[in-house]
Amino acid sequence: MPELPEVETIRRDLEREAVGKKIKTVDVTGTRTIRRHKTKKPFVERLTGTKILGVDRKGKYLLLRLDSGDVLVVHLGMSGQLLAAKNAKTPPPLKHTHVVLSYSTGGQLRFVDPRTFGEVFVTTPEALESEVPELAHLGFDAYEQVMSWVDFARLLRSKRTKLKPLLMDQKVIAGLGNIYSDEVLFEAGLRHDRTSDTLTAQEVRRLYRAMMDVLQEAIKHRGSSLADEQYRDLFGEVGGFQAFHRVYDREGQPCVRCRNPLVREKVGGRSTFYCAHCQV
DNA sequence: CGATCTACCTGATGGC
DNA sequence: TGCCATCAGGTAGATC
């Protein structure tokens, strides 16, 4: 579900809602969610009594800095949600609530995840670099880390892969997933299957600018919620960027530029939407 | 090296 | 109403 704009929206919500709060108790029901820890005990003990100092984001990972020096890492997978609650009963906990942090002030932070592809774990900042390969090997952040066009061009030329898989490869660029890679490629006027080392300097700049523009707009509208409305922000509200999607989930609808019907294609098992006329 | 498949899960939806 | 196939925002690992 959640890609960079959705995770960034939740990060900003947490900054407002969770920072400064002390974790009084920790309840874990789904042990698959904390699978990096062998047992519940170390996870619960390392969190209990700590205070949340700040919230960072790396790609699609949320990093909650704790006053113990540890970091609470959250990845939402396909169906994860982080939800703020007034107390243990309000609102009533959803099915598939796997981890609940109760603050000393009475509120709660709940991790809900039906498909259990998401995960939560506690670690140290040092171990993040050395022992958590997915995080250590993340590429540059698609939104936060400014990269020069020259460097971006060099990065594209260093690979000989198709553009969409490249944009979605977290080791290269961190944060883009299936929705936003399609939206960025449409905005840039480039096909998903263009090989990355065939782009002209102008196309490289268009791609870079499209990535920045699409992500900025998506964050402004608090992310995308699809038909199932599974993506929710910290307060349970849906996002609004789906109304601005140009191609994603719009098979057969007219392209906003040329009015030709948009195409859907399976690429690497994932649905890919594009305009066969505008994207070259 | 890159491309392609599988597995990990639950739930919604549509065809018959 | 039920049954079955297909689909869904992610990622890692195996295989060719």
Side-chain angles (χ1 to χ4, degrees), chain A residues 60-78:
Chain A
K60 302 174 193 172
Y61 289 85
L62 283 168
L63 308 173
L64 284 72
R65 290 196 311 278
L66 306 173
D67 67 350
S68 59
D70 283 342
V71 184
L72 174 62
V73 182
V74 179
H75 193 286
L76 300 169
M78 286 280 256

Side-chain angles (χ1 to χ4, degrees), chain A residues 234-269:
Chain A
L234 188 65
F235 309 104
E237 302 292 328
V238 296
F241 190 65
Q242 61 280 3
F244 300 90
H245 287 178
R246 302 301 199 201
V247 287
Y248 189 82
D249 209 14
R250 294 174 59 84
E251 180 188 15
Q253 295 184 47
C255 168
V256 293
R257 277 198 207 121
C258 72
R259 315 311 292 173
N260 283 305
L262 297 171
V263 177
R264 174 195 189 130
E265 203 175 294
K266 277 272 180 213
V267 179

